[in-house]
Amino acid sequence: MKIQNNTILNYLNEPEVYSLKANILDIVNENGQYEVETTATPFYVKGGGQPSDIGWLKTDDLSLEVLQVISKADGKIYHVLKDENVTALQIGFEVELIVNHEIRHKHNAIHTAGELICGAIRTLGYQWDVSSAIHYPDNASVEYNVELSELEKIKLKEKLQERLCEHISKGSDVHIATYFDRDSVIQQCGYFPDYVNSDIGIRVVKVLDNVFGRPCKGTHLKNINLLKEVIVRKIKNSKGRLQIKYDTVF
Ligand SMILES: [Zn+2]
């Protein structure tokens, strides 16, 4: 199947633009719910361990709730609408898409906290590459392909908690840049993410200076000092991986 995304993902380059106007490309009804594809969107699309934005799709007469924005198997992006009364919408119509600020800010904070854990692990001297990361409210964690003893886990939890507090109180701008050549990506991340489609370049996010960044398409805070606290809730071995569970206060 050819993967084709017709929608400009505006948040990748302008994460602080929370609303924009776009035209409807397609309207489908899946299991009683209407889904709308548009020429562009300010919404974060569910994926990469971060939940979708929510918000509104508006016309002059209608204000429809957007429950989530998803990428289908063919790569197309659809806004899933709560309302069933969307018969007034038609392909070609101009609509305004508006992201819920508060929810985005929460997702930014939880995601940035996860990136900060990855950075702090490196500043503690561990050269581990992240195997997976989840930045959902009430279920946020970073995982590595390593296992530690009980004592090592207890020590790491203490050291990591202390280091996170130090980084937050010092503050650091979050830098986002896209790289198109393999060497630059390796220089920035320490490895090349072969699992990412690199046709449009690799977007790298750095939350600490002089520390490897991570390939990431998510949304983040501008500076880590906008976090009040990142709490290391639990460090455990799970299926051959080390899982660091955390809570975010912002
Ligand atoms: Zn990120």
Side-chain angles (χ1 to χ4, degrees), residues 111 115 216 220:
H111 193 135
E115 299 289 359
C216 179
H220 308 79

Side-chain angles (χ1 to χ4, degrees), residues 44 48 50 108 111-112 114-116 133 135 174 176 203-207 214-220:
Y44 180 76
Q50 182 176 330
N108 286 351
H111 193 135
T112 305
E115 299 289 359
L116 180 56
H135 314 293
V174 175
I176 297 174
R203 187 172 182 257
V204 176
V205 174
K206 273 191 172 191
V207 295
R214 293 209 324 117
C216 179
K217 288 182 178 169
T219 64
H220 308 79

Side-chain angles (χ1 to χ4, degrees), residues 50 104-119 135 142 164 168 172-174 205-207 216 218-227 230 246 248:
Q50 182 176 330
R104 165 69 75 80
H105 181 68
K106 177 161 81 173
H107 294 168
N108 286 351
I110 297 168
H111 193 135
T112 305
E115 299 289 359
L116 180 56
I117 287 177
C118 304
H135 314 293
V142 177
L164 288 166
I168 290 171
S172 175
D173 282 337
V174 175
V205 174
K206 273 191 172 191
V207 295
C216 179
T219 64
H220 308 79
L221 299 173
K222 279 179 142 184
N223 191 300
I224 58 169
N225 65 12
L226 295 168
L227 294 165
V230 178
Y246 69 93
T248 309

Side-chain angles (χ1 to χ4, degrees), residues 103-164:
I103 299 296
R104 165 69 75 80
H105 181 68
K106 177 161 81 173
H107 294 168
N108 286 351
I110 297 168
H111 193 135
T112 305
E115 299 289 359
L116 180 56
I117 287 177
C118 304
I121 283 288
R122 291 206 186 267
T123 66
L124 285 171
Y126 301 99
Q127 296 309 318
W128 303 336
D129 295 326
V130 175
S131 58
S132 75
I134 300 170
H135 314 293
Y136 273 64
D138 306 322
N139 180 25
S141 66
V142 177
E143 286 189 9
Y144 295 95
N145 281 324
V146 293
E147 277 193 282
L148 297 181
S149 69
E150 282 308 309
L151 187 62
E152 286 170 326
K153 280 185 284 182
I154 292 166
K155 282 186 176 169
L156 176 61
K157 189 167 181 279
E158 254 175 53
K159 282 197 293 183
L160 179 59
Q161 188 61 70
E162 200 179 318
R163 185 55 59 93
L164 288 166

